Amino acid sequence: MTLDVREERVLQRIEKARARPARLRDERITLAYGSGGKATATLVEAVFLDAFRNEALEPLEDQALLRAGPARLAFTTDSYVVSPLFFPGGDIGDLAVNGTVNDLAVSGARPRWLSAGFILEEGFPVADLTRIVASMARAAAAAGVEVVTGDTKVVQRGKADGCYINTAGVGVLETPVRLGAARARPGDDVIVSGPVGDHGITVMLARGDLDIEADVRSDTAPLHDLVASMLDGADDGVHALRDATRGGVATVVNEMARASNVSVVIEEGSLPVRPEVVGACEILGIDPLYVACEGRLVAVVDPAATPAVLGRMHAHPLGVGAAVIGRVGDDPPGVVLLRTAFGGTRIVDMLVGDPLPRIC
Amino acid sequence: MRFVDEFRDADKARSLAARIASLCEPGRHYKFMEVCGGHTHTIYKHGIEDYLPETVQLVHGPGCPVCVMPMGRVDDAIHIASQPDVVLTSFGDMMRVPGGRGSFFDAKAAGADIRMVYSPLDALKLAQKLPDRRVVFMAIGFETTAPSTAMTLLRARQLGVENFAVFCNHVTIIPAIKAILDSPDLRLDGFLGPGHVSTVIGCRPYEFIARDHAKPLVCAGFEPLDVLQSVYMLMRQLADGRAEVENQYARVVPWAGNRRALEVIADTMELRPYFEWRGLGFISQSALRLRPEWAAFDAERIWPLPGIRVADPKACQCGEVLKGVIRPWECKVFGTACTPETPIGTCMVSSEGACAAYYNYGRFTRQRVEEAAR
Amino acid sequence: MSGVRRRINVGLLTDETIGPGDWILIHVGFALSKIDESEARAALEFLEGIGQAYEDELRALQESP
C-alpha cells in the first residue's frame, strides 16, 4: 500500500499544530472545561499552571510528590459535585473518600490522612448529610485513612446542588517507588483492573431523565491495597499507574501516551466491559472507552513483569477482572489507536468535553 | 447482542473484502457516496476502509443533519432561548455547533437555559414539569427523526400541553441527493442509501437515481458487515452492467417504508418552499415546517426570528466536504485552525461529520496505522 | 438489550403486530421498525455463504500444485 504524499504532508502539519501549547480562547467557562478532556487540559495549562508554576506542580500528575526532611509525601485534592448524590453502589461520600485515596495510591504512596470540606445548600436535609458522612466514615475505615480536619459552609438555596464536597489527602511514600505517566516504554503492556464504564453509566441512569433501567452499580472502591499488592514483588516492573475517572480509560491512556511520547494500541476485544454497560452505551450512542470509572486503574507494565502483576491482581477482590488491553509502541508518538473487534484500526483521541450522545 | 454481533464478524469481513477486490476492474477507480452520518461514523469507528482495496473510495455526503445547519439558524435558536421564561431543549450533537456568535454551550454559559435531551418526549415531559416556563424543542434530523417530532406534537395536543413548542429544522434527503447528482464537480459510481431514513421513506424514492442517472443505490445497514456487503452489492451491479435500487438492510427497511410515520409527518408538517443548507446553498422543497394548524406549537410563529443569513467563515470549506468534492484533510484549515476544540465548521463539530470522524478516528495513513497495530 | 430496559413509544408501529420477543429498531425514544427475522436470517446466510466460499477458495489455492 503506497502512502499518499499530500495526505502525509497535511498530517504532519496537524501534528505540529497539536504539539503547540493550547490557547484559551473562550471568555466564559463552559461545562466542557470540567469534563477532564482537552478543554480541561487547556484550562489547567493556560490559567493554573501559568499562575502557580513550580517544580512540584509541573508534572501535572494526579498528586504532587513533596519532601519534608527525610519523609516523602504525596499530596492531592479533588472536589465532588456528582448529581444525583445517591446512586446504586454508593454515594457522593464514597466517591469523596475513594477518589482522593486513589489519587494518592497511584503514586505508590500509602494514603494516611484526609481533609473534608463541605459546601451545603440551604434547605439540604440533615438526614441526607448524616447518610453521606456515614458513608465517608465507612469508606475511610475500609481504606485505612483518617479524616483529620475539615470545614463547612452553607450557601443560599439554588446553589451547590444539595451538597458539594472537597477532600484533600496526604500519603506517605514508604518504598522507593518510581511511577509516572512519562515512564511508559515501547513494548510495555497496558493493563486495566476490571470492567470499565460502570460508574458513569450508573450515574447517568440514576439521574432519571432517561427512561432506561439497568442492573449496574458504581464501581467506587479504594485501590491502594491492590496497588500495594501489584508493586510488591514487581521489582520496578510497574512503570505508570493512573485511576480512570472522568474521561474514562481513553483519557488516561492518552495522557500517558503524550507524557511518555509513545503510541498505544488497544485491542477492542480485550477491553472488559459488562454487557449492561455495552447495551446502555449502544442505546445512548456513547463509547465505553470514555465513560467514567471510580474504582479502576490503568497500569503500564514491563512485559516481563506482566504475568506476576496480573497474577497478583487476579488474586485481589478488586482486580478479579483485570486484563491486558493493549501494548505500548513508538510510532505514531503520543497517539492511541484501537484495533477494533472487526479488525480495522482507528484512533482514540481525547474528547474536548463530555461525550455527547449521537442520535443518528 | 442479537442482530448486531453477527454483523461484526471479522472473518466474514475478510471474505467480503476479497469478493470486492475480485470485482475491481484493473485501472479503474470507484467512488461511492454515503449520505448518512451514521454511515460516516461506522466507517471510521470500525476502520472499514482498511478492508477495501485502494481503488474503492467511500465519499461522505451531506448526510449529517447537524452539519448542514447554517450558522444563522443556530443564532435564531439562541435568540429563542434568550426570550423570557424559555427553556430550549436540544440533542447533544447540536450543543457545540458554532453560530455567528457562539454555540449553545456558550449561550448557556452566558445565562440562557439550554438543556440536553435524548428524545422530543423528554422535552414534552419537561414542559409538563415546568408549567411556568415555555419549553422549546430544537427539532433536527432527516426523515428518521421527523416522525418522532410529529408524534410528540400529537401527544402534546392530546394532553393539552400549552407551554410546548417546536423549532423545526427537519430536512429531507432526496433534494440533497438531487443536488449532488446535479453538481458538475462529482463523478460518483453509486450510492450507499441511508438505512434509517429508509425505514420511514422506503426504497422507492431512490428509483430516480437508477432510472434517470443510471447509478446504482444499495440501501445499507449500519453494522460493519452491512456496509461491506452493500459495497459488494454495488460492485456486483457495476460488474453486471446494472443500475438498480437494492435493499441490503431488508431486515429493518420495508420497501414501502413506514406508512404511519409518513402519515404523522403529513398531519403536522409541510414542505418549505426553500431552505438554506450549509455548503449547498438554497435547495427548494428540502425542509419541513409546522403546518398552519399547529401555529400554537410553532416556535417560529411565536417568536419572530432575526432570520439573518450568516455567511460561513471565509476559511471554511464545509460545503465542499459535504458534497464530497474534497476529503476532510484536503480542507485548508483542517487540523490546524479547525480542530475539534476550535471548530470553524460543522463538519468538525458533529460526531458524524466527516472531518470530526477523520480527525478523531482515521487521522493517519492506513499503512502507518497498520504497521503500528501489527 | 443486554439486560438494559427502556420505555419506548410504539405509536409508529400501528400497522404491525408486536409482542415480547420481537426485535425493533429504536430512535430517540420511538420504535421505527420491527426486525424481520426471516430477512435477518437470509442476510446472515448470505454472509455465511460468502465465508464458506472464501474458505473453499483458500483451500483450493493451498491444494493446487
Side-chain angles (χ1 to χ4, degrees), chain B residues 127-194:
Chain B
Q128 291 176 291
K129 219 167 63 161
L130 306 172
D132 296 330
R133 308 288 300 278
R134 316 195 63 179
V135 177
V136 179
F137 175 63
M138 172 98 181
I140 59 168
F142 285 100
E143 290 95 329
T144 330
T145 326
S148 307
T149 305
M151 290 287 285
T152 306
L153 282 166
L154 290 169
R155 188 148 177 76
R157 179 171 269 177
Q158 185 187 42
L159 292 171
V161 179
E162 291 179 347
N163 59 330
F164 175 73
V166 168
F167 181 38
C168 189
N169 290 285
H170 285 301
V171 284
T172 54
I173 193 69
I174 298 295
I177 296 179
K178 280 210 182 92
I180 296 287
L181 285 166
D182 292 337
S183 167
D185 314 313
L186 278 186
R187 217 86 54 80
L188 296 170
D189 294 294
F191 288 87
L192 284 170

Coordinates of all heavy atoms in Angstrom, one line a residue, chain B residues 127-194:
Chain B
A127 N -41.9 20.2 29.8 CA -42.9 21.2 29.7 C -44.0 21.0 30.7 O -44.5 21.9 31.4 CB -43.5 21.3 28.3
Q128 N -44.4 19.7 30.9 CA -45.4 19.4 31.9 C -44.9 19.6 33.3 O -45.6 20.0 34.2 CB -45.8 17.9 31.8 CG -46.6 17.6 30.5 CD -46.9 16.1 30.3 OE1 -45.9 15.3 30.1 NE2 -48.1 15.7 30.4
K129 N -43.6 19.4 33.5 CA -43.0 19.5 34.8 C -42.8 21.0 35.2 O -42.8 21.4 36.4 CB -41.6 18.9 34.9 CG -41.4 18.1 36.2 CD -40.2 17.2 36.2 CE -38.8 17.9 35.9 NZ -37.7 17.0 36.3
L130 N -42.6 21.9 34.2 CA -42.4 23.3 34.4 C -43.5 24.2 33.8 O -43.2 24.8 32.7 CB -41.0 23.7 33.8 CG -39.8 22.9 34.2 CD1 -38.6 23.3 33.4 CD2 -39.5 23.1 35.7
P131 N -44.7 24.2 34.4 CA -45.8 24.9 33.7 C -45.6 26.4 33.5 O -46.2 27.0 32.7 CB -47.0 24.6 34.6 CG -46.4 24.1 35.9 CD -45.1 23.6 35.6
D132 N -44.7 27.0 34.3 CA -44.4 28.4 34.2 C -43.4 28.8 33.2 O -43.1 30.0 32.9 CB -43.9 29.0 35.6 CG -45.0 28.8 36.6 OD1 -46.2 28.9 36.3 OD2 -44.6 28.7 37.8
R133 N -42.8 27.8 32.6 CA -41.7 28.1 31.6 C -42.3 27.6 30.2 O -43.2 26.9 30.1 CB -40.5 27.2 31.9 CG -39.9 27.4 33.3 CD -39.3 28.8 33.5 NE -38.2 29.0 32.7 CZ -37.0 28.6 32.9 NH1 -36.7 27.8 33.9 NH2 -36.0 28.9 32.0
R134 N -41.6 28.2 29.2 CA -42.0 27.8 27.8 C -40.9 26.9 27.2 O -39.8 27.4 27.0 CB -42.2 29.0 27.0 CG -43.0 30.1 27.8 CD -43.5 31.2 26.9 NE -44.5 30.7 26.0 CZ -45.1 31.5 25.1 NH1 -44.8 32.7 25.1 NH2 -46.0 31.0 24.2
V135 N -41.2 25.6 27.1 CA -40.2 24.7 26.7 C -40.2 24.6 25.1 O -41.3 24.3 24.5 CB -40.4 23.3 27.3 CG1 -39.4 22.3 26.8 CG2 -40.3 23.4 28.8
V136 N -39.1 24.8 24.5 CA -39.0 24.7 23.1 C -38.0 23.5 22.7 O -37.0 23.4 23.3 CB -38.4 26.0 22.5 CG1 -38.3 25.9 21.0 CG2 -39.3 27.2 22.9
F137 N -38.5 22.7 21.8 CA -37.6 21.6 21.3 C -37.0 22.0 20.0 O -37.7 22.3 19.0 CB -38.5 20.3 21.2 CG -37.7 19.2 20.6 CD1 -36.6 18.6 21.3 CD2 -38.1 18.6 19.4 CE1 -35.9 17.6 20.7 CE2 -37.4 17.6 18.8 CZ -36.3 17.0 19.5
M138 N -35.7 21.9 19.9 CA -35.0 22.1 18.7 C -35.0 20.9 17.9 O -34.3 19.9 18.1 CB -33.5 22.5 19.0 CG -32.6 22.6 17.8 SD -32.5 24.4 17.3 CE -31.4 24.2 15.9
A139 N -35.9 20.8 16.9 CA -36.0 19.6 16.1 C -35.1 19.6 14.9 O -35.2 20.4 14.0 CB -37.5 19.5 15.6
I140 N -34.2 18.6 14.9 CA -33.3 18.5 13.8 C -33.3 17.0 13.3 O -33.8 16.2 14.0 CB -31.8 18.8 14.2 CG1 -31.3 17.9 15.3 CG2 -31.7 20.3 14.5 CD1 -29.8 18.0 15.5
G141 N -32.8 16.8 12.1 CA -32.7 15.5 11.6 C -33.4 15.3 10.3 O -34.3 16.1 9.9
F142 N -33.2 14.2 9.6 CA -33.8 13.9 8.4 C -35.2 13.2 8.7 O -35.7 13.3 9.8 CB -33.0 13.0 7.5 CG -31.8 13.7 6.9 CD1 -30.5 13.6 7.5 CD2 -32.0 14.4 5.7 CE1 -29.4 14.3 6.9 CE2 -30.9 15.1 5.2 CZ -29.6 15.0 5.7
E143 N -35.7 12.5 7.7 CA -37.0 11.9 7.9 C -37.0 10.8 9.0 O -38.0 10.3 9.4 CB -37.4 11.2 6.5 CG -37.8 12.2 5.4 CD -36.6 12.5 4.5 OE1 -35.4 12.4 5.0 OE2 -36.8 12.7 3.3
T144 N -35.8 10.4 9.4 CA -35.7 9.4 10.5 C -36.3 10.0 11.8 O -36.9 9.3 12.6 CB -34.2 9.1 10.8 OG1 -33.4 9.3 9.7 CG2 -34.1 7.7 11.4
T145 N -36.0 11.3 12.0 CA -36.4 11.9 13.3 C -37.7 12.6 13.2 O -38.4 12.8 14.2 CB -35.3 12.8 13.7 OG1 -34.0 12.3 13.3 CG2 -35.2 13.0 15.2
A146 N -38.1 13.1 12.0 CA -39.3 13.9 11.9 C -40.5 13.2 12.5 O -41.4 13.8 13.1 CB -39.5 14.2 10.4
P147 N -40.7 11.9 12.2 CA -41.9 11.2 12.8 C -42.0 11.3 14.3 O -43.0 11.4 14.9 CB -41.8 9.7 12.4 CG -40.8 9.7 11.3 CD -39.9 10.9 11.5
S148 N -40.8 11.3 15.0 CA -40.8 11.4 16.4 C -41.2 12.8 16.9 O -42.0 12.9 17.9 CB -39.4 11.1 17.0 OG -38.9 9.9 16.5
T149 N -40.8 13.8 16.2 CA -41.2 15.1 16.5 C -42.7 15.2 16.3 O -43.5 15.8 17.1 CB -40.5 16.2 15.6 OG1 -39.1 16.0 15.7 CG2 -40.9 17.6 16.0
A150 N -43.2 14.7 15.2 CA -44.6 14.7 14.8 C -45.5 14.0 15.9 O -46.5 14.5 16.4 CB -44.9 14.0 13.5
M151 N -45.0 12.8 16.3 CA -45.7 12.1 17.4 C -45.8 12.9 18.7 O -46.8 12.9 19.4 CB -45.1 10.7 17.6 CG -45.2 9.7 16.5 SD -46.8 9.0 16.4 CE -46.8 7.9 17.8
T152 N -44.7 13.6 19.0 CA -44.7 14.4 20.2 C -45.6 15.5 20.1 O -46.3 15.8 21.1 CB -43.2 14.9 20.4 OG1 -42.3 13.8 20.4 CG2 -43.1 15.6 21.8
L153 N -45.7 16.1 18.9 CA -46.7 17.2 18.8 C -48.1 16.7 19.0 O -48.9 17.3 19.7 CB -46.6 17.9 17.4 CG -45.4 18.8 17.2 CD1 -45.2 19.1 15.7 CD2 -45.7 20.1 18.0
L154 N -48.4 15.6 18.4 CA -49.8 15.0 18.5 C -50.1 14.7 20.0 O -51.2 15.0 20.5 CB -49.9 13.7 17.7 CG -49.8 13.9 16.2 CD1 -49.7 12.6 15.4 CD2 -51.1 14.5 15.7
R155 N -49.1 14.2 20.7 CA -49.2 13.9 22.1 C -49.4 15.1 22.9 O -50.3 15.2 23.8 CB -48.0 13.1 22.6 CG -48.2 12.6 24.0 CD -47.4 11.3 24.2 NE -47.6 10.8 25.5 CZ -48.7 10.3 26.0 NH1 -49.7 10.1 25.2 NH2 -48.8 9.9 27.3
A156 N -48.7 16.2 22.5 CA -48.8 17.5 23.3 C -50.2 18.0 23.2 O -50.8 18.5 24.1 CB -47.8 18.5 22.7
R157 N -50.8 17.9 21.9 CA -52.1 18.4 21.7 C -53.1 17.6 22.5 O -54.0 18.1 23.2 CB -52.5 18.4 20.2 CG -53.9 18.9 20.0 CD -54.1 19.1 18.5 NE -53.8 20.4 18.0 CZ -53.8 20.8 16.8 NH1 -54.2 20.0 15.8 NH2 -53.5 22.1 16.4
Q158 N -52.9 16.2 22.4 CA -53.8 15.3 23.1 C -53.8 15.6 24.6 O -54.8 15.5 25.3 CB -53.3 13.9 22.8 CG -54.1 12.8 23.4 CD -53.4 11.4 23.2 OE1 -52.2 11.3 23.4 NE2 -54.2 10.4 22.8
L159 N -52.6 15.9 25.2 CA -52.5 16.1 26.6 C -52.9 17.5 27.0 O -53.0 17.9 28.2 CB -51.1 15.8 27.1 CG -50.6 14.4 27.1 CD1 -49.1 14.3 27.4 CD2 -51.4 13.5 28.1
G160 N -53.1 18.4 26.0 CA -53.5 19.8 26.3 C -52.3 20.6 26.9 O -52.5 21.5 27.6
V161 N -51.1 20.2 26.5 CA -49.9 21.0 27.0 C -49.8 22.2 26.2 O -49.7 22.2 24.9 CB -48.6 20.1 26.9 CG1 -47.4 20.9 27.3 CG2 -48.8 18.9 27.7
E162 N -49.8 23.4 26.8 CA -49.8 24.6 26.1 C -48.5 25.4 26.1 O -48.3 26.3 25.3 CB -50.9 25.6 26.6 CG -52.3 25.1 26.3 CD -53.4 26.0 26.9 OE1 -53.1 26.8 27.7 OE2 -54.5 25.8 26.5
N163 N -47.5 24.9 26.9 CA -46.3 25.6 27.0 C -45.1 24.9 26.3 O -44.0 24.9 26.7 CB -45.9 25.9 28.5 CG -45.8 24.5 29.3 OD1 -46.5 23.6 28.9 ND2 -44.9 24.5 30.3
F164 N -45.5 24.1 25.2 CA -44.5 23.4 24.5 C -44.5 23.9 23.1 O -45.5 24.1 22.5 CB -44.9 21.9 24.5 CG -44.0 21.0 23.7 CD1 -42.7 20.7 24.1 CD2 -44.5 20.4 22.5 CE1 -41.9 19.9 23.3 CE2 -43.6 19.6 21.7 CZ -42.4 19.4 22.2
A165 N -43.3 24.0 22.5 CA -43.2 24.5 21.1 C -42.0 23.7 20.4 O -41.1 23.2 21.1 CB -43.0 26.0 21.0
V166 N -42.1 23.7 19.1 CA -41.0 23.1 18.3 C -40.4 24.1 17.4 O -41.1 24.9 16.7 CB -41.6 21.9 17.5 CG1 -40.6 21.4 16.5 CG2 -42.0 20.8 18.4
F167 N -39.1 24.2 17.4 CA -38.3 25.0 16.4 C -37.9 24.0 15.3 O -36.9 23.2 15.5 CB -37.2 25.7 17.0 CG -36.4 26.6 16.1 CD1 -37.0 27.3 15.1 CD2 -35.0 26.7 16.2 CE1 -36.3 28.1 14.2 CE2 -34.3 27.5 15.3 CZ -34.9 28.2 14.3
C168 N -38.6 24.0 14.2 CA -38.5 22.9 13.2 C -37.4 23.1 12.2 O -37.4 24.0 11.5 CB -39.8 22.7 12.5 SG -39.8 21.2 11.5
N169 N -36.4 22.2 12.2 CA -35.3 22.3 11.3 C -35.1 20.9 10.6 O -34.0 20.6 10.2 CB -34.0 22.7 12.0 CG -34.0 24.1 12.5 OD1 -33.9 25.0 11.6 ND2 -34.2 24.3 13.7
H170 N -36.2 20.2 10.4 CA -36.0 18.9 9.8 C -35.8 19.1 8.3 O -36.4 20.0 7.7 CB -37.3 18.1 9.9 CG -37.5 17.5 11.3 ND1 -36.6 16.7 11.9 CD2 -38.5 17.7 12.2 CE1 -36.9 16.3 13.1 NE2 -38.1 16.9 13.3
V171 N -34.9 18.3 7.7 CA -34.6 18.4 6.3 C -34.9 17.0 5.6 O -35.0 16.0 6.3 CB -33.1 18.8 6.1 CG1 -32.9 20.3 6.3 CG2 -32.2 18.0 6.9
T172 N -35.0 17.1 4.3 CA -35.3 15.8 3.6 C -34.2 15.4 2.7 O -33.4 16.3 2.2 CB -36.6 16.0 2.7 OG1 -36.4 17.1 1.9 CG2 -37.8 16.2 3.6
I173 N -34.0 14.1 2.6 CA -32.7 13.6 1.9 C -32.8 13.7 0.4 O -31.7 13.9 -0.2 CB -32.4 12.2 2.4 CG1 -31.0 11.8 2.1 CG2 -33.4 11.2 1.8 CD1 -29.9 12.5 2.8
I174 N -33.9 13.4 -0.2 CA -33.9 13.3 -1.7 C -33.5 14.6 -2.4 O -32.6 14.5 -3.3 CB -35.3 12.9 -2.2 CG1 -35.7 11.5 -1.6 CG2 -35.4 12.9 -3.7 CD1 -34.8 10.4 -2.1
P175 N -33.9 15.8 -2.0 CA -33.4 17.0 -2.6 C -31.9 17.2 -2.5 O -31.2 17.6 -3.4 CB -34.1 18.2 -1.9 CG -35.3 17.5 -1.4 CD -35.0 16.1 -1.0
A176 N -31.3 16.7 -1.3 CA -29.9 16.8 -1.2 C -29.2 15.9 -2.2 O -28.2 16.2 -2.8 CB -29.5 16.4 0.3
I177 N -29.7 14.7 -2.3 CA -29.1 13.7 -3.3 C -29.2 14.3 -4.7 O -28.3 14.2 -5.5 CB -29.8 12.3 -3.2 CG1 -29.6 11.7 -1.8 CG2 -29.2 11.4 -4.3 CD1 -30.2 10.3 -1.7
K178 N -30.4 14.9 -5.0 CA -30.6 15.5 -6.3 C -29.5 16.6 -6.6 O -28.9 16.7 -7.6 CB -32.0 16.1 -6.5 CG -33.1 15.2 -6.8 CD -34.2 15.9 -7.6 CE -35.4 15.0 -7.8 NZ -36.4 15.0 -6.8
A179 N -29.3 17.4 -5.5 CA -28.3 18.5 -5.6 C -26.9 17.9 -5.9 O -26.1 18.5 -6.7 CB -28.3 19.3 -4.4
I180 N -26.6 16.8 -5.3 CA -25.3 16.1 -5.5 C -25.2 15.7 -6.9 O -24.2 15.9 -7.6 CB -25.1 14.9 -4.6 CG1 -25.1 15.4 -3.1 CG2 -23.9 14.1 -4.9 CD1 -23.8 16.1 -2.7
L181 N -26.3 15.0 -7.4 CA -26.2 14.4 -8.8 C -26.2 15.5 -9.8 O -25.6 15.3 -10.9 CB -27.5 13.6 -9.0 CG -27.5 12.2 -8.3 CD1 -28.9 11.6 -8.3 CD2 -26.5 11.3 -9.0
D182 N -26.8 16.7 -9.5 CA -26.8 17.8 -10.5 C -25.5 18.6 -10.4 O -25.2 19.4 -11.3 CB -27.9 18.7 -10.2 CG -29.3 18.1 -10.6 OD1 -29.3 17.1 -11.3 OD2 -30.3 18.5 -10.0
S183 N -24.7 18.3 -9.5 CA -23.4 19.0 -9.3 C -22.4 18.6 -10.3 O -22.1 17.4 -10.4 CB -22.9 18.9 -7.9 OG -21.6 19.3 -7.8
P184 N -21.8 19.5 -11.0 CA -20.8 19.1 -12.0 C -19.5 18.6 -11.5 O -18.7 17.9 -12.1 CB -20.6 20.4 -12.9 CG -20.9 21.5 -11.9 CD -21.9 21.0 -11.0
D185 N -19.2 18.9 -10.2 CA -17.9 18.6 -9.6 C -17.7 17.1 -9.4 O -16.6 16.7 -9.2 CB -17.7 19.3 -8.2 CG -18.1 20.7 -8.3 OD1 -17.7 21.4 -9.2 OD2 -18.8 21.2 -7.3
L186 N -18.8 16.4 -9.3 CA -18.6 15.0 -8.8 C -18.7 13.9 -9.9 O -19.6 14.0 -10.8 CB -19.7 14.7 -7.8 CG -19.4 15.2 -6.4 CD1 -20.5 14.6 -5.5 CD2 -18.0 14.7 -5.9
R187 N -18.0 12.9 -9.7 CA -18.1 11.7 -10.7 C -18.3 10.5 -9.8 O -17.3 9.9 -9.3 CB -16.8 11.6 -11.5 CG -17.1 11.2 -12.9 CD -17.4 12.4 -13.9 NE -16.4 13.4 -13.9 CZ -15.2 13.4 -14.5 NH1 -14.9 12.3 -15.2 NH2 -14.4 14.4 -14.5
L188 N -19.6 10.2 -9.4 CA -19.8 9.1 -8.5 C -20.2 7.8 -9.3 O -20.9 7.9 -10.3 CB -20.9 9.4 -7.5 CG -20.6 10.6 -6.5 CD1 -21.9 11.0 -5.8 CD2 -19.5 10.2 -5.6
D189 N -19.9 6.7 -8.7 CA -20.3 5.4 -9.4 C -21.6 4.8 -8.7 O -22.2 3.9 -9.3 CB -19.2 4.4 -9.3 CG -17.9 4.8 -10.0 OD1 -18.1 4.9 -11.3 OD2 -16.9 5.1 -9.4
G190 N -21.9 5.3 -7.5 CA -23.1 4.7 -6.9 C -23.3 5.3 -5.5 O -22.4 6.1 -5.0
F191 N -24.3 4.9 -4.8 CA -24.7 5.4 -3.5 C -24.9 4.3 -2.5 O -25.5 3.2 -2.8 CB -25.9 6.2 -3.6 CG -25.8 7.5 -4.2 CD1 -26.0 7.7 -5.6 CD2 -25.5 8.7 -3.5 CE1 -25.8 8.9 -6.3 CE2 -25.4 9.9 -4.1 CZ -25.5 10.0 -5.5
L192 N -24.5 4.5 -1.3 CA -24.9 3.7 -0.1 C -26.1 4.5 0.4 O -26.0 5.6 0.9 CB -23.9 3.6 0.9 CG -22.7 2.7 0.6 CD1 -21.6 2.9 1.7 CD2 -23.2 1.2 0.6
G193 N -27.3 3.9 0.3 CA -28.5 4.6 0.8 C -28.6 4.7 2.3 O -28.2 3.8 3.0
P194 N -29.2 5.7 2.8 CA -29.3 5.9 4.2 C -30.3 4.9 4.9 O -31.5 5.0 4.6 CB -29.8 7.4 4.4 CG -30.5 7.6 3.1 CD -29.9 6.8 2.0

